Amino acid sequence: MFYRFRNDFQLSIITLLGVSAVTGIVPFAVFRFWNGEVLAGLLDTAIVTLIIAGMTYAWVTGDSRRAGVFMCVLISAGAAAVAIVIGTKAIFWIYVVLVTSFFLAPPALATVCNLLMLGAVVLVGDPFDQNQSLYSFLATGIMVSCCAYVFGRRNEDQRIRLERLATHDPLTGAKNRRVMEEEMQAAISTFERNDTPHALVILDLDHFKTINDNHGHGVGDVVLRDVADLVNRHTRLSDTLFRFGGEEFVLLMPGVRPEATASVAENLRYKIMTELRGPRGSRITASFGVASLRVGESDDLWLERADSALYEAKTTGRNKVVVAERMEDDMNAQAIEDDRLTTAVPSC
C-alpha cells in the first residue's frame, strides 16, 4: 500500500484530495445543514461522496489516470455549483480547484475544466455586486490557471521522461528487463484467463564481442540500435521488444501459436542476415531460442526453456533458430531410442 502511495504520484494526489475532502468539506456540509442551507449541504455531501468513490476506484483498480480525470471534472463542476448556490462565500474554493485540476488531469483537460468553471460562475451565478470584483476574480482566476498550466505541462513532460528512463533501454529504445518481467507475468495471467497463446523469442548476436574488440563500443552500439530498429519494423505493434542484456534481446509475442513461432523467428533471422551490415560491410547474424508458454508454467521456467533453446542454437553452429518444444521432443525421442537399444542388447 505504502509502496503504491510513494511511487504513483497521481494516486497520492487523489488520496490526499480524498482525505482533504473528508476533513475540509464535511464540516461545511454539517454546518450548512445545521443552518438550514439544505441544497448547499447536499451539494457538499455529493461532492465528498463522489471524491471518495473516485479515490476508492483508483486504489482498487490501479487506474489512477482515469480516476484523476473523473475527479478533475467532478471538483470543477462541484466548485462551480457551490459558488452558484452560495455566492461569494464559496469563491475561495475556486482557487483551490484551479490549481488541483492540473495535478489530476492532463494540462489541456484541466485548462478546459477551469475555463468552463470560471465561465459558469460568472455567467450563471453572477455572485459579484460590482464589475470591479468580477474583473478581479476573472483576472486572478486566469493568472492562477496560467501559472498552474505551466507547472502542469512541465510536470507532465518530466513524468513522461522519467517513465521512459525507468522502463526503456536508453541505447536501443527497447523496454528493459524490469518491464519484461512484469509483462511476462501479465502474459501468463492472460493465458490462464482466456488461453491466448504467447511466444518468447530470445535472440543473441553472433560474435558481437569481436565487433566491440576490433572496432570499438561505439560501432557496437550502432549495431545494437540497428538490430532493435529492424526487429521493431518487422514485428507487429502488439509484440514487445526488450533488451535482456549486452547483445541479447527478448521478444514477447502474444497470439502466436506454437506451430507458427519457428517461421516468425526464421523471418527475423533472415532479415538480420540480409539487411544488416556491420563495420566494413561485414555480415551480422543472430541465433534464436523460441519457447511457447505452457499451462501452469512460471515466467522463470518459460524464460529458462527459451534460453536453453538459444544455447542449443549457439553451440550447434549459430545463425539458426531452435524451438524449445522441438528440441525437447527430439531429446525425448533420443532417450526412448537409447532405452530401446539398451534393452535390445542381450545380456551375457
Side-chain angles (χ1 to χ4, degrees):
M1 176 179 176
F2 291 106
Y3 175 82
R4 289 179 61 193
F5 186 81
R6 289 196 305 267
N7 291 274
D8 190 332
F9 175 74
Q10 197 161 31
L11 181 62
S12 65
I13 292 296
I14 291 172
T15 304
L16 291 174
L17 179 60
V19 173
S20 300
V22 174
T23 58
I25 302 178
V26 168
F28 281 97
V30 174
F31 176 77
R32 283 162 183 159
F33 280 122
W34 183 267
N35 282 347
E37 301 174 7
V38 177
L39 180 57
L42 289 173
L43 278 173
D44 287 340
T45 303
I47 291 170
V48 171
T49 302
L50 291 173
I51 287 176
I52 294 175
M55 181 181 68
T56 303
Y57 172 84
W59 275 101
V60 171
T61 65
D63 189 359
S64 56
R65 290 177 181 261
R66 189 172 298 177
V69 169
F70 166 75
M71 294 176 77
C72 175
V73 175
L74 168 66
I75 63 174
S76 299
V82 171
I84 290 170
V85 171
I86 298 176
T88 54
K89 291 185 292 184
I91 290 299
F92 296 106
W93 289 103
I94 297 291
Y95 294 100
V96 176
V97 174
L98 288 173
V99 176
T100 306
S101 296
F102 287 94
F103 287 95
L104 295 171
L109 177 60
T111 300
V112 172
C113 289
N114 283 357
L115 292 176
L116 290 175
M117 178 177 61
L118 292 174
V121 171
V122 172
L123 298 176
V124 180
D126 194 19
F128 302 100
D129 298 329
Q130 299 178 355
N131 287 337
Q132 184 177 357
S133 299
L134 171 62
Y135 296 146
S136 296
F137 169 72
L138 285 175
T140 54
I142 292 173
M143 289 176 63
V144 169
S145 293
C146 289
C147 293
Y149 175 84
V150 172
F151 175 80
R153 174 59 67 184
R154 183 180 180 87
N155 181 66
E156 181 73 7
D157 292 342
Q158 289 179 340
R159 183 190 63 78
I160 292 173
R161 290 174 187 166
L162 287 173
E163 282 187 357
R164 183 165 183 83
L165 286 173
T167 58
H168 288 72
D169 170 49
L171 174 64
T172 62
K175 291 185 177 181
N176 59 27
R177 185 167 182 168
R178 181 179 67 84
V179 180
M180 182 191 78
E181 294 171 353
E182 294 174 355
E183 297 206 12
M184 286 179 65
Q185 289 284 355
I188 292 173
S189 298
T190 303
F191 179 63
E192 292 174 347
R193 253 190 340 264
N194 53 32
D195 202 30
T196 301
H198 287 76
L200 198 66
V201 180
I202 304 181
L203 67 97
D204 183 275
L205 298 181
D206 299 326
H207 305 296
F208 183 75
K209 187 176 183 298
T210 303
I211 297 176
N212 280 336
D213 291 344
N214 294 340
H215 304 280
H217 289 276
V219 175
D221 289 347
V222 172
V223 172
L224 291 174
R225 284 195 293 267
D226 289 345
V227 169
D229 180 64
L230 182 143
V231 173
N232 283 322
R233 283 189 286 110
H234 292 286
T235 51
R236 305 166 302 171
L237 292 177
S238 59
D239 302 331
T240 308
L241 180 68
F242 310 91
R243 188 178 179 192
F244 191 55
E247 66 272 24
E248 281 190 341
F249 294 87
V250 173
L251 186 64
L252 179 60
M253 309 183 73
V256 178
R257 299 199 171 277
E259 58 269 19
T261 55
S263 60
V264 172
E266 184 61 36
N267 178 63
L268 288 176
R269 185 200 66 79
Y270 179 78
K271 292 292 184 182
I272 291 174
M273 182 182 66
T274 57
E275 295 185 13
L276 289 188
R277 287 293 178 266
R280 299 176 183 174
S282 59
R283 190 175 70 170
I284 303 294
T285 62
S287 302
F288 290 76
V290 183
S292 295
L293 181 60
R294 289 174 170 172
V295 176
E297 191 169 45
S298 67
D299 56 336
D300 289 336
L301 183 56
W302 187 17
L303 184 63
E304 182 182 335
R305 290 198 303 111
D307 193 51
S308 297
L310 173 65
Y311 179 78
E312 179 71 12
K314 300 289 282 188
T315 55
T316 56
R318 294 185 170 88
N319 189 25
K320 63 192 302 185
V321 174
V322 173
V323 179
E325 289 76 20
R326 293 180 182 176
M327 181 182 71
E328 292 160 359
D329 289 343
D330 291 343
M331 292 174 62
N332 291 334
Q334 184 62 47
I336 293 172
E337 179 65 16
D338 291 342
D339 289 343
R340 188 187 67 80
L341 292 175
T342 301
T343 56
V345 176
S347 58
C348 296

